[in-house]
Amino acid sequence: MKLSVSKVPTSLLQKSCLGPRALNYTPLVYNFHTGTPRAATPLPLPTAAGPPPAAPLPAVSQYGERVDRRRRQAELLKRGQDLRASHMKPGSALKKRFWKEVHVKTTPEGHHTVHLDGRPVRAPTTKSVLPIPPSKPHLASAIALEWDLLVSAQQALKQHHLPLTSIASRAYDIALQDEGQAPGDARQEMVTMLMRYLDTDTLLCWAPARSQHDAMQLEESADRANKSLREIQIRVARPIISYLTRDIWPGIEIKPVLDDGFIVPASQPQETKDVIRGWISGLGPWELAALERAVLAGKSLCVAARLVVEWSENFRSVGASTGGASGSPKFGIEEAAEACSLEVNWQTGMWGEVEDSHDVEKEDLRRQFGSVILIVSGTS
């Protein structure tokens, strides 16, 4: 790049007041020359007549390559899904059930076992054959029905597809640990976990009393006979508490953990805790497993204990309530589900249900309580 500076005549500098110092002035204009300028050459306008040419299309080979690439990607994705589903080698997903018939057999000792085409159902933890007590043939038939309703072996890996099998396996594991034939102390862990629910029992959490700030529509509901949620909760809870303190845990006091004006749940008296802890620790394996299932489903230790005692074959001597001359148990699945869902039913009755949420929870709660009844009941 060449730089040229404009020159100033010498005579002008001599006449200037600056004198010779003006020779060191800074030029005001810089001319940059990068090359010889060239004129642009315009392209000629198209002279062809007719419509514009069509857009270019991909070659056949390109289209085929794209289809083949997507097909390979789909195959790889499918193989990955099968691998995650089976947790085994690729291509070995358990899409179909490997058994055709399910039947119940009786061992020489009198226990019932469920067989899938000759293969006995085993407990998932110990891998030993799952025995059902002789007094529970209905439970063995229900477990066999569970397996017969499965459409693939992959469903057998999901606990919610086999609620009876899972709870029976849990009871069998507890029995083995009690006899010292299996490591672990699941009984003590379950007792500790279940006692935590006593201080937050759903049955003992009562809504505040009616106040002048309540919405008017809460008082105008005809189907509730002008009763508040608190009054309904007390009406349902008192018979259950009375039964527990009279026939199961006599002499103790069970107080509401969340009463009017309470912010933090109140703890039960230490004597009440000691009695209930000792009662849970002395339960048989099948009753303990059933109690755990009921507590986890309904979030209420009182309701779970009431349901287990009502239906357990080991509590026949307890003064269970009867319904009329037929002698059928009075506290069943519907009663337990209602006692655990009073507040939810109140809210949904006022504002409506969420589809695929509240209705599913209702059915699942009854299903869990039904498995509890099947586990503890028997013919003896």
Side-chain angles (χ1 to χ4, degrees):
M1 181 174 63
K2 182 180 179 181
L3 178 65
S4 63
V5 182
S6 300
K7 295 182 180 180
V8 181
T10 306
S11 59
L12 182 62
L13 292 175
Q14 292 175 355
K15 296 179 180 181
S16 174
C17 62
L18 297 176
R21 294 180 181 179
L23 295 175
N24 298 328
Y25 76 99
T26 302
L28 302 178
V29 179
Y30 291 93
N31 296 328
F32 293 91
H33 300 280
T34 58
T36 305
R38 297 179 182 179
T41 303
L43 296 176
L45 296 175
T47 57
L57 298 176
V60 178
S61 59
Q62 296 178 0
Y63 177 77
E65 291 177 358
R66 185 164 63 253
V67 172
D68 293 340
R69 183 174 64 255
R70 292 187 177 182
R71 184 182 293 111
R72 290 193 299 269
Q73 292 176 352
E75 292 177 355
L76 291 176
L77 179 61
K78 187 174 182 299
R79 292 181 60 187
Q81 293 175 348
D82 294 343
L83 180 60
R84 288 192 299 269
S86 62
H87 301 283
M88 298 172 66
K89 297 180 179 179
S92 61
L94 304 177
K95 299 180 181 179
K96 298 181 180 180
R97 47 187 276 179
F98 55 84
W99 64 93
K100 294 182 179 180
E101 296 181 356
V102 183
H103 50 274
V104 179
K105 293 184 179 180
T106 303
T107 62
E109 295 80 10
H111 292 85
H112 308 285
T113 56
V114 180
H115 291 257
L116 313 177
D117 289 343
R119 302 182 183 91
V121 174
R122 299 178 180 272
T125 54
T126 59
K127 305 302 180 183
S128 57
V129 179
L130 180 62
I132 307 300
S135 61
K136 302 180 185 296
H138 56 281
L139 176 60
S141 300
I143 293 177
L145 181 60
E146 273 188 346
W147 285 90
D148 196 28
L149 292 177
L150 298 181
V151 298
S152 65
Q154 182 179 350
Q155 292 181 345
L157 304 176
K158 307 296 183 180
Q159 182 178 354
H160 61 273
H161 286 295
L162 300 168
L164 292 175
T165 305
S166 62
I167 191 174
S169 301
R170 179 71 161 166
Y172 181 58
D173 293 341
I174 297 173
L176 291 180
Q177 293 179 6
D178 291 344
E179 297 173 359
Q181 300 181 11
D185 190 8
R187 175 179 292 273
Q188 186 60 36
E189 296 174 359
M190 294 170 66
V191 172
T192 304
M193 183 270 297
L194 294 174
M195 288 300 298
R196 296 195 189 104
Y197 282 87
L198 182 61
D199 291 334
T200 58
D201 198 296
T202 301
L203 186 72
L204 305 178
C205 293
W206 297 347
R210 240 187 267 189
S211 67
Q212 59 181 355
H213 304 290
D214 292 340
M216 293 300 299
Q217 58 266 30
L218 297 180
E219 310 298 335
E220 297 174 356
S221 181
D223 57 345
R224 295 186 175 94
N226 292 329
K227 290 186 178 181
S228 64
L229 175 59
R230 176 184 175 86
E231 294 172 347
I232 297 176
Q233 289 174 328
I234 295 176
R235 176 178 56 83
V236 174
R238 279 180 175 174
I240 299 177
I241 297 175
S242 176
Y243 181 90
L244 295 176
T245 56
R246 184 187 68 247
D247 297 329
I248 303 179
W249 309 317
I252 68 172
E253 179 186 7
I254 298 179
K255 303 185 302 182
V257 297
L258 196 61
D259 204 351
D260 190 16
F262 288 10
I263 299 178
V264 180
S267 179
Q268 298 292 338
Q270 187 62 38
E271 181 183 358
T272 300
K273 291 183 178 181
D274 295 340
V275 172
I276 296 177
R277 182 185 297 272
W279 180 81
I280 297 176
S281 301
L283 290 175
W286 296 89
E287 283 73 21
L288 183 58
L291 183 69
E292 180 190 35
R293 172 66 61 86
V295 170
L296 294 178
K299 307 299 184 294
S300 173
L301 179 60
C302 295
V303 174
R306 178 71 175 89
L307 185 67
V308 169
V309 173
E310 184 74 38
W311 292 88
S312 174
E313 60 179 343
N314 294 329
F315 287 94
R316 295 287 177 84
S317 58
V318 179
S321 60
T322 58
S326 59
S328 59
K330 190 175 182 180
F331 195 84
I333 297 175
E334 293 297 330
E335 289 77 15
E338 179 187 3
C340 295
S341 309
L342 289 176
E343 186 174 357
V344 175
N345 295 338
W346 174 273
Q347 298 291 345
T348 55
M350 184 62 62
W351 310 111
E353 294 183 351
V354 177
E355 188 177 1
D356 293 335
S357 177
H358 292 107
D359 51 349
V360 175
E361 291 177 358
K362 284 183 179 180
E363 296 300 326
D364 183 69
L365 181 61
R366 286 157 174 78
R367 183 174 69 106
Q368 300 291 351
F369 285 155
S371 65
V372 170
I373 293 176
L374 283 173
I375 284 292
V376 299
S377 59
T379 58
S380 61

